[in-house]
Amino acid sequence: MTRKAPTLEDVAREAGVSRATVSRVVNGIRNVDPAIREAVREAIARTGYAPNRAARSLVTRRAETIALVVSGAGDDSESEQNAFAARALADPFFGRVVSGVVGFLRPRSMYPVLMFAETEAARQQVLAYLRQGSADGALVFSTHAEDPLPALLAAESLPCVLFARPALPAPLTYVDVDHRQGGRLAAEHLLARGCRRAATVTGPLDLPAAQDRLSGFQDAMARHGHPYVPIAEGGFTFDSGASAMTRLLAEHPGIDGVFAANDLMAQGVCQVLRESGKRVPEDVAVVGFDDSSAAVACRPPLTTVRQPMEEMAATMARLLQEQIEGELTEPTSVIFEPELVRRASA
Amino acid sequence: MTRKAPTLEDVAREAGVSRATVSRVVNGIRNVDPAIREAVREAIARTGYAPNRAARSLVTRRAETIALVVSGAGDDSESEQNAFAARALADPFFGRVVSGVVGFLRPRSMYPVLMFAETEAARQQVLAYLRQGSADGALVFSTHAEDPLPALLAAESLPCVLFARPALPAPLTYVDVDHRQGGRLAAEHLLARGCRRAATVTGPLDLPAAQDRLSGFQDAMARHGHPYVPIAEGGFTFDSGASAMTRLLAEHPGIDGVFAANDLMAQGVCQVLRESGKRVPEDVAVVGFDDSSAAVACRPPLTTVRQPMEEMAATMARLLQEQIEGELTEPTSVIFEPELVRRASA
DNA sequence: CTGAAAGCGCTAACAC
DNA sequence: GTGTTAGCGCTTTCAG
């Protein structure tokens, strides 16, 4: 068996000092004689000491762990549970999020705990996890407008930061992108390249993000003399994008430009266009949203409105950290500017 | 501020019993008078008690946490760090893995900690994390043949279970699929539908999985009178699949069937085929591997060799658990059978 | 600048 | 069946 791991006590004995002193050098506290510090360092190396996280957490009352929760709006239909996780991770959007979170956490030797909160039971588990101090706070990514988790978190004042403004208002800190501006960028680009009959495939319209991308797009179109824009609602998935495009094409065969509210749907749009014998971008220009890996994987590669996801996710982690440390007591929000990335599709 | 959380002591006082008794009902230990148990339950509800994880871990010497690590083979070129996480998650393969792990863990109120070990520094952090008991063990997914992490884990006998047989031999438990059989399935399907000039796009040939899929495919082809099969090596990515197909087509324009060693590459293959004016499956049949979300997203939807990923991942978690509990002391391996899933591409 | 000592909240013997 | 008690390994006053 693995013999008992060395403790502070062992190191102290080895170095001929007290536990307190060893603790000080481990935690990088200044007031330690350089010579002693060196001796302790050596003793640590010699014994192969590693501080025990549970013991430390018990006294500091910090888990030094944060939860990354992907949450939905389901009730208790168990069947959904696992499919939900798979679906959430299938969205290429997610890779950049995790990358941003990990980028912030790793230098602090912290790692995110992955949780899914699709059902009521799962939500309660998330709350329990936080309450018992298994994690100090949560970064939450809602996939549905009706998601009850933010409110629950707020009610118990558990530290958390949301990705995107919640549809159900709650006094919570969040990070978001200026979706209206993103819609505007898409509209102006389509207009600039000469589109005269642009349409849009929106996200689920109960989500503020989807609404705002739409209204930003519409406003910009209107401002340039296009009062009416054909719309088809999608669900942020490839298939929903494809079927929205099919509907659009049936009613408005003359469409020469499409703004899809995310890259996955834009991929579906391109797919349908190709199958209908239309060339992208020659016959129909397509602009996506997100700049996820789907944008590059798409044929043709998508011109898209980029959200600075890594930065946004890192900011979420930072705000959560500040909240946990007590430096941030009032809810706040940070809004990022989107940016148009030109590739081949428009 | 949030007032101090209730402790066992508080609940004990409230219920008029001792801490030990409360602990017993919390942990579901039998020897407790039903009436008292009920009283304690009520006291718990009344006080809103939640057991403190750090305190518990300190005495049980269990973190009740496991790490899910995606590891590579890099040295210390920092630049890679973040891109690695994004790239790893971009593989649709990953969604099913997480889903399987979570499926096993969740009923036990456990959640995976997500870690990336692409550089030497990151690997050391993973080891430190495990040594200090922040996690009880690791589920490791290597993306490279030269990955040094398994050996490091083995050297310190830290509990871990690998996905796939490691290229560098190590006395470690792993879960895998019968790749040769998978290759065989692909070959036989292509043959059965009449392909006479089948080729294959392999994975990185330093990976045992890629080698085995290839040799299984070749063997089956040979057994059916096709001693030679054109090969192009890919890197398990969309782009590598596309360029491998381009090379194949340049040298062997008459190809009528392709076995791509994963779905992502199969998608790239279909892409190139379409651009070359070949119809899938009429002109060229394509079979993928994995049955990841890419298989469904592909046009046409891919006929593919399915790995039971969720089951495999869940099994990994179970084996790790057994190892942590000390029930499993010798390395073992569990091999799953692949299955052909017929869709439109072949 | 260093050491002694008091817990953090919980589990697990061991008594009763 | 229930209570008492001794720590788990660490941080952190508080003296010196």
Side-chain angles (χ1 to χ4, degrees):
Chain A
M1 296 294 109
T2 60
R3 68 179 161 303
K4 218 170 122 308
T7 72
L8 261 196
E9 189 70 54
D10 299 325
V11 178
R13 197 177 319 111
E14 178 80 18
V17 298
S18 74
R19 284 210 311 272
T21 301
V22 179
S23 175
R24 287 187 187 104
V25 354
V26 168
N27 294 296
I29 292 175
R30 282 182 313 288
N31 307 332
V32 177
D33 182 295
I36 294 194
R37 177 167 39 222
E38 217 25 66
V40 172
R41 288 245 168 81
E42 278 165 24
I44 288 177
R46 233 174 300 133
T47 52
Y49 170 76
N52 177 301
R53 132 116 42 163
R56 178 179 287 180
S57 288
L58 183 55
V59 30
T60 60
R61 312 184 144 287
R62 282 280 152 68
E64 297 293 341
T65 291
I66 69 157
L68 194 166
V69 6
V70 182
S71 88
D75 45 24
D76 259 322
S77 45
E78 278 285 326
S79 59
E80 276 302 297
Q81 298 260 116
N82 287 6
F84 182 72
R87 218 177 324 119
L89 294 196
D91 193 324
F93 164 99
F94 207 66
R96 290 182 58 204
V97 164
V98 170
S99 178
V101 170
V102 169
F104 179 88
L105 255 26
R106 181 139 62 177
R108 295 163 176 76
S109 291
M110 291 175 64
Y111 299 87
V113 170
L114 206 48
M115 309 187 80
F116 296 91
E118 166 62 349
T119 65
E120 182 56 25
R123 270 190 289 278
Q124 291 302 329
Q125 289 198 349
V126 170
L127 293 174
Y129 201 79
L130 259 16
R131 278 195 291 253
Q132 60 187 29
S134 297
D136 300 320
L139 258 20
V140 358
F141 298 81
S142 279
T143 58
H144 291 74
E146 308 297 323
D147 185 2
L149 186 61
L152 295 173
L153 256 8
E156 302 197 37
S157 40
L158 291 166
C160 69
V161 176
L162 311 183
F163 182 82
R165 173 164 56 89
L168 304 170
L172 256 21
T173 290
Y174 65 86
V175 165
D176 211 341
V177 74
D178 185 342
H179 300 285
R180 293 183 53 85
Q181 170 64 6
R184 229 171 277 140
L185 252 26
E188 281 160 9
H189 180 71
L190 252 18
L191 255 12
R193 76 186 316 285
C195 293
R196 305 197 42 196
R197 289 183 243 177
T200 179
V201 173
T202 73
L205 290 173
D206 51 352
L207 282 181
Q211 280 165 10
D212 293 352
R213 287 173 200 180
L214 169 61
S215 69
F217 185 74
Q218 287 175 318
D219 285 3
M221 294 301 286
R223 208 172 309 123
H224 289 271
H226 298 267
Y228 169 71
V229 175
I231 290 178
E233 185 174 353
F236 280 151
T237 63
F238 180 96
D239 287 341
S240 71
S243 80
M245 191 62 220
T246 304
R247 276 176 276 144
L248 238 26
L249 230 35
E251 288 189 42
H252 310 270
I255 285 173
D256 60 3
V258 177
F259 167 46
N262 79 347
D263 292 340
L264 229 35
M265 293 197 299
Q267 256 189 312
V269 164
C270 288
Q271 167 65 29
V272 167
L273 252 12
R274 192 186 312 118
E275 289 170 357
S276 313
K278 311 257 187 188
R279 293 164 306 162
V280 176
E282 295 82 353
D283 301 324
V284 183
V286 176
V287 175
F289 203 107
D290 279 352
D291 196 23
S292 67
S293 59
V296 206
C298 189
R299 296 304 127 151
L302 291 174
T303 287
T304 188
V305 177
R306 180 180 175 88
Q307 301 197 58
M309 226 86 82
E310 292 86 351
E311 253 186 281
M312 293 170 73
T315 299
M316 289 175 69
R318 178 173 59 74
L319 292 172
L320 181 58
Q321 188 72 306
E322 292 178 9
Q323 217 172 117
I324 291 168
E325 319 259 71
E327 296 161 17
L328 181 65
T329 55
E330 290 302 302
T332 181
S333 58
V334 179
I335 311 298
F336 287 78
E337 286 305 308
E339 192 183 337
L340 190 81
V341 175
R342 287 159 210 250
R343 295 208 183 82
S345 73
Chain B
M1 293 296 105
T2 60
R3 68 178 160 303
K4 217 169 126 307
T7 72
L8 263 195
E9 188 71 55
D10 299 325
V11 178
R13 196 176 321 111
E14 178 80 17
V17 297
S18 74
R19 283 210 312 273
T21 301
V22 180
S23 176
R24 287 187 188 104
V25 352
V26 168
N27 295 296
I29 293 175
R30 284 183 310 287
N31 308 331
V32 177
D33 183 295
I36 294 196
R37 179 170 34 226
E38 218 26 66
V40 171
R41 289 244 167 81
E42 277 165 25
I44 289 176
R46 234 175 299 131
T47 52
Y49 169 77
N52 177 303
R53 132 115 43 160
R56 177 179 289 180
S57 287
L58 184 55
V59 31
T60 59
R61 313 185 142 288
R62 282 279 152 69
E64 297 295 339
T65 291
I66 68 156
L68 195 168
V69 5
V70 182
S71 89
D75 44 22
D76 259 321
S77 45
E78 278 286 326
S79 59
E80 277 301 296
Q81 299 259 115
N82 287 6
F84 182 72
R87 218 177 324 119
L89 294 197
D91 193 324
F93 165 98
F94 207 67
R96 291 183 55 204
V97 165
V98 171
S99 179
V101 170
V102 170
F104 179 87
L105 255 26
R106 181 141 59 178
R108 295 163 177 75
S109 291
M110 292 175 61
Y111 299 87
V113 170
L114 206 48
M115 309 187 79
F116 296 92
E118 166 61 350
T119 64
E120 180 56 26
R123 271 190 289 278
Q124 291 303 328
Q125 289 198 347
V126 170
L127 294 174
Y129 200 80
L130 258 16
R131 278 195 291 254
Q132 60 186 29
S134 297
D136 300 321
L139 257 19
V140 359
F141 297 82
S142 280
T143 58
H144 291 75
E146 308 297 323
D147 184 2
L149 186 62
L152 295 173
L153 257 8
E156 303 197 37
S157 40
L158 291 166
C160 68
V161 176
L162 311 183
F163 182 82
R165 173 163 57 88
L168 304 171
L172 257 20
T173 290
Y174 65 85
V175 165
D176 211 341
V177 74
D178 185 342
H179 300 286
R180 292 182 53 85
Q181 171 63 6
R184 230 171 277 141
L185 251 26
E188 281 160 10
H189 181 71
L190 253 16
L191 255 11
R193 76 186 318 283
C195 292
R196 306 197 42 196
R197 288 183 244 177
T200 179
V201 173
T202 74
L205 289 174
D206 51 353
L207 281 182
Q211 280 166 8
D212 294 351
R213 287 173 200 180
L214 169 60
S215 68
F217 185 74
Q218 286 176 319
D219 286 2
M221 293 301 287
R223 208 173 309 125
H224 288 269
H226 298 266
Y228 169 71
V229 176
I231 290 177
E233 185 174 353
F236 280 152
T237 63
F238 181 96
D239 288 340
S240 71
S243 80
M245 191 63 220
T246 304
R247 275 176 277 143
L248 238 27
L249 230 35
E251 290 188 39
H252 311 270
I255 285 172
D256 60 2
V258 177
F259 166 45
N262 79 347
D263 292 339
L264 229 35
M265 293 196 299
Q267 256 188 310
V269 165
C270 288
Q271 166 66 29
V272 167
L273 252 13
R274 192 184 313 117
E275 289 170 356
S276 314
K278 311 258 187 188
R279 293 164 306 162
V280 177
E282 295 82 354
D283 302 324
V284 183
V286 177
V287 174
F289 203 106
D290 280 351
D291 196 23
S292 66
S293 59
V296 207
C298 189
R299 295 305 125 149
L302 292 173
T303 286
T304 187
V305 177
R306 180 180 175 88
Q307 302 196 58
M309 226 86 82
E310 292 86 353
E311 253 187 279
M312 292 171 73
T315 299
M316 289 175 69
R318 178 174 58 74
L319 292 172
L320 181 58
Q321 189 71 308
E322 292 178 11
Q323 216 172 118
I324 291 167
E325 318 260 69
E327 296 162 16
L328 181 65
T329 55
E330 289 304 300
T332 181
S333 58
V334 179
I335 311 298
F336 287 79
E337 286 307 307
E339 191 183 339
L340 190 81
V341 175
R342 287 157 209 248
R343 293 206 183 82
S345 72

